[in-house]
Amino acid sequence: MDRKTIDNIVWWIPLKKLRNSVREYLLEINNLNNKLEQINNKVNIIESTIYNNYMDLYGKIKKLTPQGYIDFIDIDIARHCNLNCYSCNHFSQLAKEEYYDIEIFENDIKRLYGLSNGLIKKFHILGGEPLLNINCKDYFYVVRKYFKYSSIWLITNGILLPKQDESFWLSCKKNNVEIHPTKYPIKIDWDNIKRICSNYNVVLSFFNNEHVLKESVKTILNLDGTSNVFDNFINCYLANNCLNLHNGKLFSCGLPANINAFNNHFSMNIKVTEQDYIDIYKAKDYNEILQFLAKPMPFCRYCDITKWHGIGKWETSKRNIEEYTNNN
Ligand code: SF4
Ligand code: SF4
């Protein structure tokens, strides 16, 4: 309330002395209210700072604490992609045609079942672009054969969804596979895809926010390998989170699992060592895997995680090494 409003309230009081007293009283209350509001604002700022610091600390402790079970595993059934995204963190725009052999895949899934007794919450079937693997539907049967109660998500850019035949949709339905496309700013008839999913009773839910335009993130590497592995690991949202399985090797994130495509394309030699993954056939039990995943990997020294940033829009790749360095 400003002084004018207070004057408008007290003007009718006939006795000047009384009118002045009421005005002073209202002004005093008004001052107190303003001070209270300032204190409340400061308390809100302190509360949200404490909450953010707590969440940050909680996230770091969680990464370094062996979990009770694996929340989800990413599995690239095709390394390459039919979309050419800027600075893709699976290096799929650089990758040559390559698939996860389905017999090796089945052995790996069976071994994971044996180790975990089915305690893996979710499998992400992705890539690259998983639908470039024409046997994609068969991988669903393999996962469901062993993991009866886990969720299976197909994460795709959606380009090839309208081209799938009935056997694909029936596999999704029978194996309770959910489709979680990433929506890129490219022309795709999503209404048609939604209709097909609904006809086959298959869940479709976008992996990203379908109403927010997808933005490319610049994945900056430290090609000299001089980053601090501990700082990188605890500050990285992928670490001990986006686990990646390939040919019997389980990685704490997808970068070392896919770095070959980067090495081959740019004639580089970023090394993946035996300490960067756990061989699921050598692990004696589930606990050994969970403990391994909660440790920084030597490979983390090749990331420049604090410099990763959105570039404000989605862009296609020019397949230049500058997309992965801090040079522009
Ligand atoms: S970000 Fe996804 S869609 Fe884009 S190139 Fe990489 S794997 Fe393909
Ligand atoms: S290698 Fe380490 S720092 Fe790099 S993305 Fe993976 S977990 Fe993060």
Side-chain angles (χ1 to χ4, degrees):
M1 249 192 315
D2 56 17
R3 186 169 182 110
K4 199 173 163 207
T5 315
I6 292 173
D7 284 344
N8 284 341
I9 293 171
V10 299
W11 68 269
W12 58 271
I13 299 173
L15 295 174
K16 189 174 177 194
K17 204 169 167 196
L18 180 61
R19 189 163 61 240
N20 285 343
S21 298
V22 173
R23 180 184 292 114
E24 288 311 310
Y25 179 69
L26 288 178
L27 280 170
E28 187 63 21
I29 288 181
N30 199 33
N31 280 342
L32 283 174
N33 266 341
N34 287 343
K35 278 184 187 149
L36 257 180
E37 204 177 307
Q38 283 169 7
I39 291 169
N40 268 342
N41 287 342
K42 280 187 183 149
V43 167
N44 285 343
I45 291 169
I46 291 168
E47 268 180 8
S48 85
T49 309
I50 290 173
Y51 178 78
N52 289 341
N53 285 345
Y54 166 77
M55 290 310 287
D56 186 44
L57 190 62
Y58 171 78
K60 287 175 178 166
I61 291 171
K62 189 171 174 223
K63 276 181 203 312
L64 296 169
T65 309
Q67 299 297 294
Y69 60 89
I70 288 174
D71 194 41
F72 69 88
I73 298 184
D74 288 348
I75 305 179
D76 301 45
I77 63 166
R79 297 271 205 194
H80 52 304
C81 194
N82 51 358
L83 199 55
N84 178 32
C85 299
Y86 174 93
S87 200
C88 168
N89 70 9
H90 279 211
F91 311 108
S92 300
Q93 88 283 31
L94 308 173
K96 296 214 164 64
E97 182 175 352
E98 188 188 333
Y99 304 100
Y100 202 146
D101 179 278
I102 196 152
E103 281 177 26
I104 297 175
F105 178 80
E106 172 147 13
N107 284 338
D108 291 353
I109 294 294
K110 189 175 169 187
R111 172 71 180 160
L112 276 182
Y113 180 78
L115 285 164
S116 67
N117 202 18
L119 266 186
I120 295 177
K121 199 168 166 199
K122 192 169 34 142
F123 290 88
H124 289 170
I125 305 295
L126 41 69
E129 172 47 47
L131 292 174
L132 287 173
N133 188 324
I134 53 168
N135 300 316
C136 183
K137 64 178 185 311
D138 300 328
Y139 291 73
F140 302 156
Y141 284 104
V142 171
V143 179
R144 187 55 79 217
K145 181 172 161 189
Y146 297 95
F147 287 86
K148 303 267 183 276
Y149 306 107
S150 306
S151 299
I152 306 174
W153 285 16
L154 174 72
I155 300 177
T156 165
N157 59 34
I159 294 171
L160 294 172
L161 275 175
K163 297 206 166 111
Q164 299 307 305
D165 62 15
E166 176 146 51
S167 65
F168 169 84
W169 294 107
L170 288 176
S171 175
C172 292
K173 188 177 173 183
K174 281 185 191 155
N175 296 304
N176 195 14
V177 173
E178 296 181 22
I179 306 214
H180 290 261
T182 309
K183 192 171 186 184
Y184 291 94
I186 53 174
K187 204 162 177 259
I188 290 183
D189 186 352
W190 287 112
D191 287 340
N192 177 37
I193 294 169
K194 285 177 183 170
R195 233 181 344 263
I196 301 172
C197 287
S198 157
N199 286 346
Y200 284 95
N201 214 5
V202 170
V203 171
L204 181 138
S205 168
F206 284 97
F207 192 68
N208 55 342
N209 185 336
E210 68 172 302
H211 306 295
V212 176
L213 219 56
K214 173 86 177 154
E215 179 186 14
S216 298
V217 172
K218 184 160 179 170
T219 309
I220 299 183
L221 301 179
N222 174 344
L223 301 179
D224 297 328
T226 54
S227 294
N228 182 313
V229 294
F230 305 101
D231 288 349
N232 263 351
F233 189 83
I234 59 170
N235 288 308
C236 177
Y237 67 96
L238 300 175
N240 198 5
N241 183 27
C242 298
L243 314 183
N244 195 291
L245 176 73
H246 202 80
N247 289 349
K249 295 171 180 166
L250 187 61
F251 296 83
S252 192
C253 78
L255 266 81
N258 290 293
I259 195 70
N260 266 349
F262 178 91
N263 280 339
N264 291 339
H265 188 82
F266 296 119
S267 304
M268 301 292 290
N269 189 22
I270 296 185
K271 285 200 168 46
V272 177
T273 66
E274 286 190 357
Q275 284 76 47
D276 289 312
Y277 59 85
I278 184 156
D279 183 328
I280 59 173
Y281 295 95
K282 289 186 185 159
K284 68 175 188 310
D285 56 27
Y286 200 23
N287 276 340
E288 188 179 335
I289 291 180
L290 295 165
Q291 276 176 15
F292 171 83
L293 294 169
K295 280 191 303 190
M297 303 171 279
F299 189 93
C300 292
R301 68 198 174 99
Y302 291 108
C303 287
D304 213 341
I305 197 78
T306 54
K307 300 202 177 109
W308 290 19
H309 62 271
I311 61 166
K313 56 188 170 169
W314 177 76
E315 259 189 24
T316 54
S317 172
K318 296 190 173 58
R319 300 189 176 96
N320 291 333
I321 201 159
E322 285 73 25
E323 289 178 19
Y324 294 98
T325 62
N326 205 22
N327 293 345
N328 63 357

